[in-house]
Amino acid sequence: MTGRRGLSSVNLTFLGTASAQPSLTRNHSALALRLNSDVWLFDCGEATQHQVQRSKVKMGKIEKIFITHTHGDHIFGLLPLLAIDRIEDPRTHMIQNSSVPIEIYGPFGTRAYVRNGLKYTHTLLGAPYVMETIPPLPFMHPESLNGRNIPQTNGVWSDVYRDSIVSVSAAPILHSVPCIGYVVTEAPVPGKMDPAKYIPHLKRTKTPMSVMNRLQQGESIELSDGTVLQGPLKRPGRKLVILGDTYDPSPIAELASSADLLIHEATNAHLPALDPHTKAEDTFESVEARTKSRGHSTPQMAGAFAARIGTRQLVLNHFSARYPGNDDVDPTAKTIMEDIARLAGEHYSGKIICARDFMSFDVDVPQEHA
């Protein structure tokens, strides 16, 4: 990560919240995770670059792209995004390697999709990309040789990315095609400090106040009179779980345990009083069975998984085109989304949010960790 000592800001911006078919109020799937000023994208559906331009997310700050699966509504925007900085004169056939490459993480098929898309559209990029994927495949130009084929251990891909501040691990989740869920975990952060516990001792021994910085990091300091001051213990950092499409995310449950926030799809819901597309024979059970048969989840299924892993907050995402995404301005849409959240709440008692395009909010370190 670029020049960062800690996370002063963790922000989520939803760039697309639709399922297979976009609507006038929902674009295809894409999520921007902003870590300070750096941007990581999770999925990159068609027209994601337009959504970025319409949002406060800065295109030039995108460092990494994590793909959950290779269905078109989650990946068709990837090549256009990479090609924004393409070489304008194809006669040169040169790749400018001065730029830092974008890192792309994804399941089997992601690398082949990118390679073939670039090859058959004759697209030359302004900088290489780095592909981190499984299983092993040989590299090709303009793909950086620094990419990895990440092995799976005990059912998960641990630390597909890690630095001193944040790590990303992944695990398979069940969908109609191979699909991945990601867990983003912040390293332990400095504990809450009470200066009154330390300043009198520092003054008494004429110790420079600058040692407060070391105490804030949890270090112990021995003063000139032998007194040992212990800084506050570090507290857990934030933990975000970002799932792709799924009818059963059980394989990631252990990895996702005790998350601060879970993003889970809720493609279809049974809303007989609100949804004009409801069939006379539909029931909660039949809608769930039909939804699962297509590889997806209902709000109740999302709520049940949120309760299972003990997350502090649930964000529902990936909605059918029949559920409008303008609930912030349209009373009917608001009623529909409130009912979808209510269904999830039948199985989960924490905070529930229904995502809409361009919804943006910060994720704070929970107070109970303090």
Side-chain angles (χ1 to χ4, degrees):
M1 234 172 236
T2 54
R4 188 177 60 239
R5 292 187 176 180
L7 292 178
S8 59
S9 173
V10 174
N11 175 274
L12 288 169
T13 298
F14 290 84
L15 300 172
T17 57
S19 55
Q21 180 180 341
S23 68
L24 294 176
T25 57
R26 295 190 191 275
N27 198 66
H28 277 147
S29 293
L31 168 70
L33 172 62
R34 288 188 283 177
L35 306 173
N36 295 348
S37 63
D38 300 329
V39 177
W40 296 358
L41 293 185
F42 288 81
D43 283 333
C44 195
E46 183 179 351
T48 292
Q49 61 175 306
H50 291 286
Q51 297 292 90
V52 171
Q53 291 167 355
R54 294 175 60 195
S55 73
K56 294 183 179 180
V57 176
K58 295 183 178 179
M59 192 80 70
K61 294 293 186 178
I62 297 174
E63 287 189 344
K64 308 181 195 302
I65 302 173
F66 297 84
I67 300 298
T68 62
H69 64 295
T70 56
H71 271 155
D73 56 319
H74 293 256
I75 200 172
F76 278 170
L78 179 56
L79 296 182
L81 192 74
L82 293 176
I84 285 177
D85 192 29
R86 65 186 183 275
I87 292 176
E88 295 296 332
D89 186 356
R91 294 171 298 178
T92 61
H93 294 287
M94 293 175 61
I95 299 298
Q96 301 167 0
N97 292 310
S98 58
S99 300
V100 176
I102 288 181
E103 297 175 15
I104 304 171
Y105 299 76
F108 175 73
T110 307
R111 177 178 282 157
Y113 172 78
V114 172
R115 288 177 178 177
N116 287 293
L118 295 176
K119 177 180 178 180
Y120 292 110
T121 59
H122 306 284
T123 301
L124 298 175
L125 304 182
Y129 61 90
V130 176
M131 182 66 70
E132 313 274 7
T133 189
I134 54 172
L137 288 170
F139 298 97
M140 70 172 284
H141 188 70
E143 186 178 317
S144 170
L145 297 178
N146 294 325
R148 295 173 297 154
N149 297 301
I150 302 170
Q152 188 179 33
T153 304
N154 296 324
V156 303
W157 297 283
S158 298
D159 295 339
V160 299
Y161 174 79
R162 172 180 286 275
D163 61 24
S164 61
I165 302 302
V166 67
S167 65
V168 182
S169 293
I173 55 179
L174 303 183
H175 183 42
S176 57
V177 299
C179 191
I180 288 176
Y182 293 98
V183 178
V184 182
T185 305
E186 180 184 18
V189 299
K192 192 172 183 180
M193 191 171 186
D194 181 7
K197 293 176 57 177
Y198 304 102
I199 290 178
H201 296 287
L202 301 181
K203 287 183 175 180
R204 187 188 73 251
T205 56
K206 298 181 180 181
T207 303
M209 289 294 166
S210 59
V211 302
M212 288 287 283
N213 293 329
R214 295 173 57 190
L215 290 168
Q216 178 68 74
Q217 296 302 317
E219 295 184 29
S220 60
I221 303 294
E222 183 173 356
L223 305 181
S224 58
D225 64 353
T227 300
V228 176
L229 300 181
Q230 174 64 56
L233 297 177
K234 290 192 173 184
R235 49 190 171 141
R238 288 156 281 202
K239 183 176 183 178
L240 314 180
V241 178
I242 302 170
L243 302 185
D245 296 2
T246 184
Y247 67 89
D248 182 5
S250 294
I252 204 173
E254 183 176 351
L255 191 64
S257 178
S258 301
D260 294 301
L261 182 141
L262 166 67
I263 298 174
H264 194 299
E265 69 132 288
T267 303
N268 294 114
H270 183 46
L271 305 171
L274 297 172
D275 184 1
H277 298 92
T278 302
K279 299 176 182 178
E281 64 272 20
D282 278 348
T283 63
F284 288 107
E285 292 77 14
S286 68
V287 169
E288 178 173 318
R290 185 165 63 243
T291 301
K292 290 172 70 174
S293 73
R294 297 169 179 170
H296 295 292
S297 295
T298 63
Q300 295 96 317
M301 293 165 65
F305 187 72
R308 175 180 175 180
I309 67 170
T311 186
R312 293 175 173 80
Q313 185 172 342
L314 169 63
V315 181
L316 301 176
N317 189 30
H318 195 268
F319 298 105
S320 165
R322 66 176 62 177
Y323 309 131
N326 58 343
D327 53 297
D328 54 333
V329 296
D330 183 273
T332 301
K334 181 179 180 181
T335 300
I336 291 173
M337 300 317 295
E338 286 178 344
D339 214 36
I340 287 175
R342 179 188 61 78
L343 292 175
E346 293 178 358
H347 299 271
Y348 172 68
S349 60
K351 182 178 180 180
I352 301 172
I353 295 174
C354 291
R356 75 176 78 92
D357 287 18
F358 304 113
M359 176 183 282
S360 183
F361 56 86
D362 291 337
V363 180
D364 298 321
V365 177
Q367 289 301 311
E368 56 262 40
H369 284 179

